[in-house]
Amino acid sequence: MSGRGARDEPPLARQVLGLLAGRGQTLAVAESLTGGLLAAELTGVPGASRAFLGSVTAYATEAKRDVLGVDADVLAERGPVDAEVARQLALGVCDLLKADWGVATTGVAGPETQDGKPVGTVHVAVSGPVTGGVVAQRLNLRGDRAAIRASSVRAALTLLRNELILAREERDPQGAGAGQDTEQNGEDGCLQP
């Protein structure tokens, strides 16, 4: 997960933590299908505590509702694998841990479907302080359970990095506003533009 890209860039976790620390901001993470992998990736970077406050692994639907404040009606109507649930998870962990930025993952890693959602359906979300909005991204990933979880971590870190860069460059109310959604499809755990 933390390997270097084709352009010999630093690992994503190091990039996002550097951006956050450079502006004195903090991060909290809410994880479901990734089960702590995102937090592990972040805490694997020396000095992560300058920006990373902590995480909540809300694997059970009840934990999403009771610990992170996801609306019970949304969970009942849409199930836990949903863009709105990811948004509320990101906001909930920010509120709980008093962080500037929140990242959330929820989805189906397999091997079986969940609530009618196919394996590889993943939603990641990022909330930030610039616009007060939350950006959610739907992923359709392929691969085994481990590949889907690893790709979900990469996607969450990539979305956060992009939002941090946008926040720095645009500071525009029409930038990454509330409720923006995107979708990406992948094969064998690879994201496609």
Side-chain angles (χ1 to χ4, degrees):
M1 278 184 278
S2 61
R4 291 184 180 253
R7 292 174 283 180
D8 203 30
E9 294 177 347
L12 284 168
R14 186 178 309 267
Q15 290 178 47
V16 299
L17 290 168
L19 288 166
L20 288 162
R23 56 182 83 166
Q25 293 179 329
T26 57
L27 172 66
V29 172
E31 299 186 67
S32 184
L33 86 148
T34 50
L37 292 175
L38 181 52
E41 189 76 4
L42 291 162
T43 58
V45 176
S49 62
R50 293 183 308 160
F52 183 60
L53 297 180
S55 65
V56 174
T57 300
Y59 208 66
T61 300
E62 296 77 16
K64 291 172 181 66
R65 181 192 64 223
D66 298 343
V67 177
L68 293 171
V70 176
D71 185 89
D73 291 335
V74 170
L75 288 166
E77 292 169 14
R78 301 180 185 186
V81 180
D82 182 79
E84 182 58 27
V85 171
R87 285 187 201 98
Q88 290 186 26
L89 288 168
L91 289 168
V93 78
C94 274
D95 185 53
L96 181 68
L97 297 180
K98 309 298 182 228
D100 298 304
W101 292 84
V103 177
T105 64
T106 187
V108 184
E112 298 174 3
T113 62
Q114 178 182 339
D115 298 327
K117 306 282 173 72
V119 173
T121 303
V122 175
H123 296 273
V124 295
V126 171
S127 66
V130 177
T131 64
V134 184
V135 175
Q137 183 176 56
R138 178 187 167 130
L139 308 166
N140 297 307
L141 303 173
R142 294 192 184 132
D144 64 12
R145 184 175 176 81
I148 290 169
R149 294 172 77 214
S151 292
S152 299
V153 169
R154 279 192 299 276
L157 288 171
T158 299
L159 184 60
L160 174 59
R161 180 193 60 194
N162 294 346
E163 290 304 305
L164 286 164
I165 291 168
L166 282 173
R168 179 181 68 204
E169 292 177 354
E170 293 186 2
R171 303 205 196 285
D172 169 4
Q174 296 177 350
Q180 177 180 342
D181 288 326
T182 60
E183 182 172 338
Q184 292 188 5
N185 297 302
E187 186 168 298
D188 298 326
C190 296
L191 298 179
Q192 304 294 324

